[in-house]
Amino acid sequence: MGTRSSGVTAPGSRQGARRGKDALTAYMFITPAMLHTLLFMLLPAAAALYFSFTEWDMISPARWVGLVNYQEVLFNGDLYPDFWKSVRVTLVYGLLAVPASLLTGFVQAYLIDGIRRGQPFFRLAFYLPVITAEAAVGAIWKWLYDPQFGLINAALGFFGIDGPDWLGTPGTVVPALALIAAWQSGSAMLIFLAGLKGIPRSYYEAAEVDGANAGQRLWSITLPLLRPTTFFLTVTGIIAALQVFGIVYVLFSSNIGPEGAGLTYVLHLYLAGFRNGGMGAASAMSFLLFAFILLITAVQFRVLPRQYEE
């Protein structure tokens, strides 16, 4: 007798078809993101890498010059006298802004976590400065820092203190910028808050039974268990601080501040490329910054305690 097909599809065939369909669906969802990354990140980065080895003013054709741009940016003080000044300003800004942002974000998260009602409102209120347009932020803080009509000096004057010209005095420009960064610590606040929510309440209850007060619970439970969160925010905060540009550009209207005190690295890069026509040198500066960020991030992962990574 001949055999007849049962009409039942093998389980393996069904599973294979389902996996294929799931894979197709997944590729459909990730394709826009992949195209965005390719067209607006990878291709421009590759073009910038090429132009960093050329002499190009955006008008004449690019001319290959090899490592000349890197050599001139790093060692030719006559052509780029403000390069190392911009490096110094950016490093000082990072040393002030990153700890200030972390401290402000943690304090905000700790206070919000301790209240029972109104948490969504305070989360929104503290996060709004992050999503506010930098042009608006710059305009607001430019008024706040105004030496004659600014609210900050008016508040200091109420206590008999003569406030300085925050954006007109070289010694106060970078601290003023760091204060703005601390005000815009909403992202750190949200991440710290998520970390606080992840700490089991049983730890605090056990500490209370043992007689630990609020300060002891904070020092012995909260801060140690937030080390991975703090490590993540430290790494990302340093990366962001090294690339600060928008708020400085708005505050100083694309200038460099008094005696170059507001000349951050990316602002110097922008001026070199778009104001002075040195797009090759500007591209070289961008890859020097990329290499430095890569190096300092690797050092952080190597030097900071292993428990921060766990």
Side-chain angles (χ1 to χ4, degrees):
M1 295 177 60
T3 58
R4 293 186 304 172
S5 175
S6 62
V8 179
T9 305
S13 300
R14 290 199 303 268
Q15 292 177 359
R18 182 177 299 173
R19 284 197 295 267
K21 184 178 180 180
D22 291 343
L24 179 60
T25 303
Y27 281 121
M28 289 176 62
F29 277 108
I30 66 175
T31 295
M34 293 175 63
L35 289 175
H36 176 272
T37 302
L38 176 65
L39 296 176
F40 298 104
M41 297 182 69
L42 296 182
L43 289 181
L49 180 61
Y50 167 75
F51 286 122
S52 70
F53 298 106
T54 67
E55 181 180 341
W56 183 47
D57 59 1
M58 297 185 294
I59 300 176
S60 304
R63 183 173 63 88
W64 184 268
V65 294
L67 295 174
V68 171
N69 286 325
Y70 292 91
Q71 295 172 349
E72 289 181 345
V73 165
L74 290 172
F75 306 113
N76 194 333
D78 294 330
L79 282 178
Y80 300 98
D82 294 325
F83 175 78
W84 290 108
K85 177 182 289 185
S86 71
V87 172
R88 183 172 61 254
V89 169
T90 304
L91 291 177
V92 173
Y93 169 80
L95 290 174
L96 294 177
V98 175
S101 298
L102 291 179
L103 179 61
T104 306
F106 172 74
V107 171
Q108 291 173 348
Y110 188 76
L111 294 176
I112 292 174
D113 189 53
I115 62 177
R116 295 184 178 180
R117 295 182 179 180
Q119 285 196 17
F121 168 78
F122 288 106
R123 287 200 303 266
L124 175 63
F126 288 130
Y127 190 72
L128 276 178
V130 178
I131 60 176
T132 304
E134 287 189 325
V137 172
I140 292 171
W141 279 93
K142 200 168 186 177
W143 168 72
L144 290 173
Y145 282 137
D146 188 275
Q148 295 182 343
F149 309 105
L151 185 61
I152 293 178
N153 280 359
L156 293 175
F158 181 78
F159 296 99
I161 302 174
D162 292 330
D165 183 358
W166 295 94
L167 301 179
T169 305
T172 58
V173 169
V174 175
L177 295 175
L179 180 59
I180 299 175
W183 177 71
Q184 291 183 306
S185 60
S187 296
M189 177 272 297
L190 285 181
I191 297 174
F192 270 128
L193 188 59
L196 290 172
K197 296 294 185 184
I199 300 176
R201 294 299 166 184
S202 58
Y203 292 176
Y204 296 106
E205 293 170 358
E208 289 180 4
V209 172
D210 291 338
N213 57 35
Q216 291 171 330
R217 295 194 298 271
L218 172 65
W219 184 259
S220 301
I221 299 176
T222 305
L223 294 181
L225 292 179
L226 284 179
R227 284 174 179 172
T229 305
T230 306
F231 174 72
F232 169 77
L233 289 173
T234 300
V235 172
T236 55
I238 290 175
I239 293 174
L242 293 175
Q243 301 179 80
V244 62
F245 168 73
I247 190 65
V248 183
Y249 182 87
V250 174
L251 286 175
F252 296 109
S253 301
S254 78
N255 291 316
I256 61 177
E259 300 180 15
L263 184 64
T264 59
Y265 187 93
V266 178
L267 178 59
H268 182 253
L269 182 159
Y270 168 83
L271 295 176
F274 290 94
R275 175 174 291 183
N276 301 328
M279 290 302 297
S283 298
M285 291 181 195
S286 68
F287 277 92
L288 288 173
L289 178 61
F290 169 75
F292 181 72
I293 289 175
L294 194 64
L295 174 64
I296 199 170
T297 303
V299 168
Q300 289 179 87
F301 275 93
R302 188 75 175 178
V303 172
L304 292 179
R306 297 285 301 179
Q307 57 187 342
Y308 275 48
E309 305 175 41
E310 299 174 355

